[in-house]
């Protein structure tokens, strides 16, 4: 079964840092581009970042550029999101998502990040 | 990158058909055939329903179909069922090699 398991969320103060992880199983992780998508409480989906299969191509939403860093370890079947200088508006559920020929499928279960003093 | 424009809500009775629109620009929806649609039930992760404008992932009912004309894409659900009640989001690839989502549409099955 293809599965993505998100972890690493929690409560952090404004200006703090957090590292999210996504463990992949059931497919050849190194063959796929991967993404992070977030959803603020009661709001819509917002694409955050993408990384190509070999980490050569990396892109960020303007809202997180310069503060967040996406990375992956194909040997460990894992995707990461290092989040620095966190703001209250970064509060959201963060989903790890596989890109299958321009289709986001499947999605992880999500991990909640709360930025509050 | 501005979000794609979707109606906030749509509704329909069981058995009817509904269509949800998704309007972007020539830099996203109009410029690429990389429009996808996602269904999200409350408290759940989104699920892919349509990709590349009009393709269904394996296992998705053929009651779901997609189309595009110019800068506007559409999702049509035919033979509405109670289980279709959910939030629906469109998404498109952009000229900046990023992705953009619509604001979401709440579908109510009357």
């Amino acid at each position: 079964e293809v599965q993505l398991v998100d972890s690493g969320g929690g409560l952090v103060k404004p200006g703090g840092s957090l590292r999210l992880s996504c463990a992949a199983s059931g497919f050849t992780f190194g063959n796929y581009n991967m993404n992070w998508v977030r959803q603020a409480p009661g709001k819509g989906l917002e694409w955050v970042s993408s990384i190509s299969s070999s980490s050569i191509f990396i892109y960020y939403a303007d809202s997180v550029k310069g503060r967040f860093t996406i990375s992956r370890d194909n040997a460990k079947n894992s995707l990461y999101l290092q989040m620095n200088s966190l703001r209250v508006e970064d509060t959201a559920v963060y989903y790890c998502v596989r890109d299958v020929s321009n289709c986001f499928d499947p999605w992880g279960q999500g991990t909640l990040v709360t930025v509050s003093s | 990158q501005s979000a794609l424009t979707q109606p906030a809500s749509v509704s329909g009775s069981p058995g009817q058909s509904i269509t949800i629109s998704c309007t972007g620009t020539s830099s996203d929806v109009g410029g690429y055939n990389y429009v996808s649609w996602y269904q999200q039930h409350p408290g759940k992760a989104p699920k892919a329903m349509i990709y590349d404008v009009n393709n269904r992932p394996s296992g998705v009912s053929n009651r779901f179909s997609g189309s595009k004309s110019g800068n506007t894409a559409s999702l049509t659900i035919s033979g509405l069922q109670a289980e279709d009640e959910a939030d629906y989001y469109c998404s498109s690839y952009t000229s900046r090699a990023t992705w953009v989502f619509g604001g979401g549409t709440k579908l109510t099955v009357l």
Side-chain angles (χ1 to χ4, degrees):
Chain A
E1 178 194 5
V2 174
Q3 192 172 17
L4 298 170
V5 179
D6 304 318
S7 62
L11 175 63
V12 61
K13 289 182 167 53
S17 298
L18 211 55
R19 189 194 196 206
L20 306 184
S21 298
C22 169
S25 60
F27 65 100
T28 304
F29 180 72
N31 287 351
Y32 294 89
N33 298 342
M34 297 294 294
N35 296 264
W36 288 99
V37 176
R38 69 183 180 183
Q39 186 171 35
K43 302 297 185 182
L45 301 173
E46 179 188 14
W47 174 83
V48 172
S49 181
S50 67
I51 184 169
S52 62
S53 57
S54 56
S55 303
I56 292 177
F57 300 104
I58 289 176
Y59 302 97
Y60 298 98
D62 289 342
S63 57
V64 307
K65 198 174 297 182
R67 300 187 299 121
F68 290 11
T69 302
I70 191 172
S71 63
R72 64 190 297 164
D73 185 335
N74 290 344
K76 294 183 177 180
N77 293 333
S78 294
L79 177 72
Y80 307 101
L81 186 67
Q82 177 66 43
M83 304 185 296
N84 298 332
S85 302
L86 281 161
R87 306 167 180 169
V88 171
E89 55 265 35
D90 294 319
T91 294
V93 173
Y94 285 74
Y95 295 100
C96 163
V97 192
R98 184 180 68 166
D99 180 344
V100 184
S101 299
N102 308 307
C103 177
F104 287 359
D105 181 54
W107 296 58
Q109 88 285 3
T111 186
L112 176 62
V113 172
T114 302
V115 185
S116 174
S117 54
Chain B
Q1 183 75 47
S2 298
L4 306 176
T5 300
Q6 298 181 231
S9 63
V10 298
S11 62
S13 300
Q16 288 185 331
S17 294
I18 63 95
T19 297
I20 300 172
S21 62
C22 170
T23 301
T25 70
S26 58
S27 296
D28 38 64
V29 174
Y32 306 91
N33 287 326
Y34 299 147
V35 175
S36 48
W37 290 89
Y38 301 92
Q39 176 192 65
Q40 186 179 36
H41 288 109
K44 301 293 188 182
K47 173 188 174 185
M49 306 304 285
I50 294 288
Y51 69 98
D52 289 352
V53 176
N54 56 11
N55 291 294
R56 284 186 305 276
S58 176
V60 172
S61 171
N62 59 10
R63 297 185 299 105
F64 291 83
S65 62
S67 63
K68 190 185 86 167
S69 177
N71 295 338
T72 298
S74 299
L75 172 71
T76 298
I77 308 174
S78 59
L80 265 182
Q81 300 179 0
E83 68 209 48
D84 298 333
E85 184 163 294
D87 294 326
Y88 291 84
Y89 295 91
C90 62
S91 176
S92 175
Y93 184 72
T94 83
S95 59
R96 297 173 63 191
T98 62
W99 296 88
V100 62
F101 284 92
T105 298
K106 181 178 180 59
L107 169 62
T108 300
V109 180
L110 303 171

